[in-house]
Amino acid sequence: MRMRLPPHISKSAAFAVLGFGVMLLLAAGFSLRGFRIDPSLAIKLPENPASRELREADGLFPVERSLVVALPVEDGPVSAKGIARLAEVSGGLRSLGEARGAWTLVSPLTVSDLERVGDAMVEAPLVAGPAEDPLRLHGRLDASLLLKKLFLSAKGSAWTLYLRVHVEREELLAGVDEAKALWPELRFAGQPYYQAMNGRILSREFPLLLAAAALVLLAIELVIMRSLAPAVFLWIFSLLPTFFLIALFSLTGTALRLDLVLAPALTLALTNSYVTHIYRGWAAESFDAMAALRSKGKVVLLDALTTLLGYGGLLVSPLVELRTLGLFCIAGCLISLVVALVSMPAALSLVRSPSRAARRFAASAAVPPVPGPSREGRIGRPGRRLAPLAWSAAALVMGFFALKLEAGISVRDYFVPGSARAAEFSFFDKEYSGLGEATLVVETGREYGLVDLDLFRALRDLERGLAAVPDLGSVYGYTDLVAEASARWDGKPGTVEPATQEEIGEMLELLSGTKGATLSKGVVDADWSAARFTVTLAPGFQPVQDMDRLRAAADAAWRATGCKARLLWGGAAAESAIEEKAYLSGQISGTFLFFAALVLGLVLVLRSFPKALAVSLVPILGFLASLGLMGLLGWRLCSVHALALATIAGTGVDNALALVLGGWSREARDAAVDSSILIVLSVLALCFCSSYYIVQAAIVCSVGLVASALASVILIPALIGDRTPKDPAP
């Protein structure tokens, strides 16, 4: 069915279209002044019982913006050399933080412990200064689980310091860079640090990455066109939707986030694919722009519709950020469609002297079909049988590795392997057994509710129950604080279980009235109604699967105590589990909706259910290739990969559809191969990014698109064959 279009484009109409486009371009340029970057890695969680519990737990014990600083000491931290180095670095970090107004230092030199002197409890600094006796310090740390966990690494090779941050991105990084220059052995970690690094990467590298993708696109166009003028012509039209999309960020007040970085590059690549189809159609139709719209408009429109379907799958996600991503990708695709179907034909109608590339495309399109059997026959029966078998075997292998895929955000994947940042994180992974933590809050619901001996004993039972859960490092908090204070009161090392409720109250009152309250504030709230425990997690802990197991173990242990106080889970691990569950539910539902709509749409377009199913296999194989690669390499599936999978779903099917509609002609095959190369190489330009998540997303997207393109060119002809028309018999 042909599109109802006028026979030709008048010169006045063409100039009007292009003039209006130029005005929009100028307006978009002015709006770029509002463009901004959001370095935050946080996701707005959906409203559900788990997220409400998380907010309540974190509300009782707010998470401070703090950096963790590791100070490794060759002779060991609790040595004369280690103590002297601690005093030197602590003093320097304190002075540096005060001079810049960047942070407040918390270290063994700023925290006091309780000590019994005669009949009284007095405050004693954990480390009095560089002359501190190592044996005395060793004894104090061995006697206190809390102090040991707070200020020593898990392997005991480094001091742990904390910086409570007061400044934002670049000011923080400037202070960290200066500290590293003064003390090269320091290692830094913590969410404010990772966010600052992410902001620096986005602000410095996003323009360069987009420019790299654009230059790669131009280089490939030059290779395909073999002429500068048509290559630049197509390149300029390819850039326009990306420019408008970035302007749309500014106009809507949406900041560029890590998950949005891929959208402009994909818009650039998709637009080039659309305008290339129109350009080839213009050449094939004797350089008639309106005839090109009639012949290629349907293909471009259907390509865009499948891409819109893929991006539309993001709109069902429970996560606001992914719905926003889907809307911007849809906007980019629609702008690309307008440029390809309106602006491009208007510009082509003004061309009076076709380039050599255009004449070469025209000659290629004019080659008559070769008489003889269809492609089914040229493949041969053995080949036609072997191709599906080979692809089935490949799908099984990819599916096997895809089953090994884990889900969840991993801080490790923020950094490119082999980089200085990755080495810094590996230090924490090795020396601290990871920095993953969950927060368990026990809420009694009444003032002074913690002054309860039965509750104290129930919490001890809960700790023992959790200690048996695999992939947990340790559980420490309120009960350790009270038991250690009780031991100090009795003049004994280690911990002593309180014998009465009055003793618990005395210990809490004693702790809250000292400088040591720095510790108690983190584990007991102001009215003694809620207590906090820190649950350290091993590097192998998977938030999505293992958090449920941890919750179940805690609930079972708590029910066994018969205690009525509530358990609330908070912290980074609980937040990550909620986020990834929401992402996975949206990904699964969006993918099923996409394939249901795709099959239905293909049946209407191709008017054949077997053909529709065969073409639908293309994005499925692209999915399997990408997920199998992630499982093979040990990458975790998370929301950062959402756009890559949506692109594979929506764009992967385009080549198969174009080939089926184009009758498997040489021109259709060349266009499919060229567009695949352009999209894949443009996306791969993002592999130069310092964020490993962006690199992963680019590779996942590219592998899926390559697998889809190969399936379109090799597998689909074997399944349904082409129907290249034969010359009539003489």
Side-chain angles (χ1 to χ4, degrees):
M1 184 179 188
R2 292 184 175 273
M3 301 174 68
R4 294 183 179 180
L5 297 170
H8 65 277
I9 301 175
S10 66
K11 185 179 291 188
S12 59
F15 277 118
V17 168
L18 296 177
F20 182 68
V22 170
M23 287 190 292
L24 287 178
L25 195 62
L26 291 173
F30 281 113
S31 71
L32 290 179
R33 291 177 296 178
F35 183 72
R36 60 189 178 88
I37 288 173
D38 178 11
S40 173
L41 301 169
I43 295 287
K44 186 177 180 182
L45 299 178
E47 190 64 27
N48 58 38
S51 62
R52 287 192 290 271
E53 179 183 306
L54 175 76
R55 285 196 298 271
E56 188 174 356
D58 290 347
L60 287 168
F61 296 95
V63 179
E64 294 181 331
R65 296 182 66 240
S66 297
L67 298 189
V68 179
V69 185
L71 172 60
V73 182
E74 188 175 342
D75 295 343
V78 191
S79 64
K81 182 179 177 181
I83 294 170
R85 191 61 171 165
L86 171 67
E88 177 193 345
V89 173
S90 293
L93 285 174
R94 185 189 299 111
S95 300
L96 184 60
E98 290 173 354
R100 290 180 168 272
W103 56 64
T104 301
L105 175 71
V106 178
S107 82
L109 288 157
T110 65
V111 172
S112 295
D113 195 10
L114 294 173
E115 190 173 87
R116 188 180 181 97
V117 178
D119 294 332
M121 294 290 285
V122 298
E123 290 185 72
L126 180 59
V127 178
E132 175 67 60
D133 180 10
L135 289 176
R136 172 188 169 278
L137 178 58
H138 214 294
R140 295 182 71 85
L141 289 171
D142 282 343
S144 174
L145 175 64
L146 275 175
L147 292 175
K148 198 170 184 178
K149 288 289 184 184
L150 284 171
F151 295 115
L152 284 180
S153 65
K155 294 192 174 180
S157 63
W159 286 113
T160 307
L161 315 177
Y162 302 90
L163 303 178
R164 291 174 178 165
V165 178
H166 309 311
V167 293
E168 296 303 325
R169 203 167 74 212
E170 284 304 321
E171 294 90 342
L172 174 60
L173 290 179
V176 170
D177 291 342
E178 186 174 348
K180 286 185 175 182
L182 293 170
W183 306 285
E185 71 269 32
L186 292 183
R187 304 288 187 270
F188 290 81
Q191 203 67 8
Y193 181 54
Y194 300 143
Q195 286 186 0
M197 287 302 305
N198 181 51
R200 176 178 282 184
I201 288 170
L202 289 178
S203 58
R204 292 184 179 181
E205 296 186 10
F206 174 69
L208 297 177
L209 291 171
L210 200 55
L215 290 175
V216 166
L217 199 65
L218 178 60
I220 302 168
E221 286 288 11
L222 284 170
V223 171
I224 294 173
M225 296 295 171
R226 304 176 202 171
S227 178
L228 180 62
V232 172
F233 178 80
L234 290 175
W235 183 67
I236 289 173
F237 277 92
S238 300
L239 291 176
L240 294 177
T242 301
F243 187 79
F244 284 122
L245 182 63
I246 295 174
L248 191 60
F249 286 152
S250 301
L251 290 170
T252 58
T254 304
L256 181 73
R257 290 169 48 94
L258 189 68
D259 48 10
L260 285 168
V261 169
L262 213 59
L266 284 172
T267 300
L268 174 68
L270 290 175
T271 308
N272 188 266
S273 173
Y274 299 160
V275 298
T276 299
H277 274 300
I278 297 298
Y279 187 82
R280 285 177 174 273
W282 174 70
E285 298 292 340
S286 303
F287 313 112
D288 185 334
M290 192 56 68
L293 266 183
R294 293 191 186 94
S295 64
K296 295 296 182 182
K298 181 180 178 181
V299 173
V300 171
L301 185 60
L302 289 174
D303 284 356
L305 286 176
T306 58
T307 303
L308 290 171
L309 275 179
Y311 292 151
L314 296 172
L315 300 181
V316 301
S317 173
L319 299 176
V320 174
E321 286 77 8
L322 291 188
R323 296 200 297 272
T324 302
L325 173 63
L327 288 173
F328 275 102
C329 290
I330 288 172
C333 185
L334 291 175
I335 297 170
S336 301
L337 194 61
V338 171
V339 168
L341 297 184
V342 179
S343 302
M344 184 73 175
L348 288 173
S349 69
L350 300 176
V351 176
R352 291 292 173 259
S353 179
S355 65
R356 285 179 297 174
R359 290 194 292 271
R360 190 175 69 254
F361 289 150
S364 174
V367 174
V370 179
S374 70
R375 183 173 175 81
E376 294 175 64
R378 292 197 296 272
I379 291 176
R381 289 185 179 179
R384 193 179 176 205
R385 291 172 182 172
L386 285 176
L389 289 175
W391 277 91
S392 298
L396 287 174
V397 172
M398 292 183 289
F400 171 76
F401 286 113
L403 292 175
K404 296 179 176 292
L405 188 62
E406 299 175 356
I409 291 283
S410 172
V411 177
R412 183 184 297 104
D413 289 335
Y414 290 164
F415 315 111
V416 176
S419 66
R421 305 300 179 194
E424 187 172 38
F425 179 79
S426 295
F427 173 85
F428 285 98
D429 225 11
K430 184 192 303 182
E431 298 298 326
Y432 287 77
S433 298
L435 291 175
E437 289 183 350
T439 299
L440 177 59
V441 175
V442 180
E443 205 272 322
T444 64
R446 66 185 190 279
E447 191 175 13
Y448 306 120
L450 294 179
V451 186
D452 185 327
L453 188 59
D454 291 335
L455 174 64
F456 186 92
R457 291 170 177 170
L459 290 173
R460 279 302 199 195
D461 291 339
L462 174 63
E463 288 182 90
R464 285 189 284 270
L466 289 177
V469 177
D471 292 327
L472 290 191
S474 58
V475 182
Y476 62 94
Y478 160 68
T479 51
D480 300 292
L481 183 73
V482 173
E484 288 173 12
S486 185
R488 303 292 188 279
W489 182 262
D490 292 346
K492 298 177 181 179
T495 62
V496 172
E497 302 292 309
T500 64
Q501 293 187 171
E502 289 74 16
E503 189 176 340
I504 295 174
E506 289 173 1
M507 294 305 104
L508 289 175
E509 187 173 0
L510 186 65
L511 286 164
S512 62
T514 67
K515 191 178 179 182
T518 303
L519 301 181
S520 66
K521 284 179 181 175
V523 294
V524 178
D525 69 344
D527 58 3
W528 301 356
S529 65
R532 175 179 179 268
F533 290 86
T534 297
V535 183
T536 61
L537 310 172
F541 188 89
Q542 301 176 36
V544 175
Q545 298 95 321
D546 293 344
M547 197 65 206
D548 285 340
R549 184 161 48 86
L550 180 56
R551 282 175 177 271
D555 290 342
W558 196 237
R559 281 195 301 271
T561 67
C563 191
K564 301 301 181 184
R566 292 193 305 148
L567 296 185
L568 306 172
W569 285 96
E575 183 176 3
S576 179
I578 297 169
E579 175 189 335
E580 290 309 310
K581 281 185 178 180
Y583 160 64
L584 289 174
S585 68
Q587 182 71 62
I588 293 170
S589 57
T591 301
F592 275 113
L593 287 173
F594 164 77
F595 280 108
L598 179 66
V599 172
L600 179 61
L602 289 174
V603 169
L604 295 175
V605 172
L606 301 178
R607 299 179 183 178
S608 167
F609 187 69
K611 282 188 177 182
L613 286 180
V615 173
S616 299
L617 285 176
V618 171
I620 293 175
L621 292 171
F623 261 57
L624 280 176
S626 296
L627 298 179
L629 176 72
M630 293 181 71
L632 177 64
L633 297 178
W635 294 349
R636 288 187 175 184
L637 180 66
C638 67
S639 55
V640 180
H641 304 111
L643 180 55
L645 297 178
T647 303
I648 295 168
T651 306
V653 74
D654 289 353
N655 288 328
L657 191 57
L659 286 169
V660 172
L661 294 175
W664 309 94
S665 65
R666 175 184 172 185
E667 189 269 336
R669 284 193 292 270
D670 289 347
V673 172
D674 289 350
S675 64
S676 298
I677 292 173
L678 286 164
I679 294 174
V680 168
L681 292 183
S682 297
V683 172
L684 284 177
L686 297 177
C687 289
F688 293 105
C689 185
S690 299
S691 170
Y692 196 38
Y693 267 129
I694 297 299
V695 175
Q696 284 186 16
I699 293 174
V700 166
C701 184
S702 300
V703 167
L705 292 177
V706 168
S708 299
L710 291 175
S712 300
V713 175
I714 299 172
L715 177 63
I716 300 304
L719 290 177
I720 61 177
D722 67 32
R723 302 301 179 203
T724 306
K726 304 175 187 177
D727 284 350

